[in-house]
Amino acid sequence: LARLGEIVQRVPHTSVLEIGCAEGLFTAWLTTVATRVVALDVSPTACARAQAHAPQATVLSQGLGAYTSTTPFDLVVCAETLYYLRDPQAAVAHMQRLGQHVLIAYTRHERQRLDALLAGYPTLLDEEFRYVVRRFPPKKRGCRFLILGEQSLA
């Protein structure tokens, strides 16, 4: 989560929409750096826990496809959630309509499936974070972080 937080701070983030907030640990951190945080998850149980962790956030128990906003967000965060969505390509298009920048993070394991899907989008940042779990045998792990958007990060 620390690495994800570092990347969030590289883009405008006064208002943030988080897709798949789970129990709200990252949501709670987002409320410390953004004035408006809206978090979505399809699990009512996860949303109740997220609301407890992040009482300043608006937490909604609904999927991305049903969500609309009259005010665009500075940033939409979709961390380790895109591969759960029924139609990831439609989800990315919807996130782009909802926010100026879209931060997508996914595990190394999902790269084969998602890299091709995201190849055609304008990317402002593309970073990979790799590490090795020290056990026998050692396991390579990692995440890819992409920021999609038309405007420069300057």
Side-chain angles (χ1 to χ4, degrees):
L1 291 179
R3 182 70 173 192
L4 188 59
E6 290 172 14
I7 292 174
V8 164
Q9 293 189 42
R10 294 187 201 175
V11 295
H13 56 271
T14 302
S15 60
V16 179
L17 172 64
E18 182 184 17
I19 310 301
C21 65
E23 295 194 5
L25 299 178
F26 191 64
T27 312
W29 179 82
L30 286 170
T31 64
T32 68
V33 298
T35 12
R36 176 178 168 231
V37 176
V38 175
L40 307 178
D41 202 290
V42 295
S43 166
T45 302
C47 286
R49 291 177 180 159
Q51 192 68 74
H53 280 116
Q56 305 91 332
T58 301
V59 180
L60 303 171
S61 180
Q62 67 181 77
L64 171 63
Y67 183 75
T68 59
S69 176
T70 55
T71 308
F73 291 87
D74 291 327
L75 178 63
V76 177
V77 176
C78 183
E80 298 194 35
T81 303
L82 187 60
Y83 42 86
Y84 292 116
L85 302 178
R86 207 170 286 138
D87 185 350
Q89 194 162 16
V92 171
H94 190 56
M95 287 186 278
Q96 286 185 304
R97 288 189 297 274
L98 291 169
Q100 178 182 350
H101 295 98
V102 177
L103 168 55
I104 298 174
Y106 52 95
T107 64
R108 185 172 184 243
H109 178 72
E110 294 295 332
R111 286 201 67 169
Q112 183 176 6
R113 183 171 151 220
L114 295 179
D115 282 357
L117 171 85
L118 297 168
Y121 290 94
T123 303
L124 303 173
L125 179 137
D126 184 348
E127 289 186 10
E128 189 169 356
F129 174 65
R130 292 183 182 200
Y131 60 97
V132 175
V133 176
R134 297 187 186 274
R135 64 180 192 191
F136 188 79
K139 286 210 160 225
K140 293 179 181 176
R141 305 280 181 169
C143 286
R144 184 175 186 200
F145 301 97
L146 294 171
I147 296 178
L148 310 179
E150 299 287 340
Q151 297 179 354
S152 168
L153 295 179

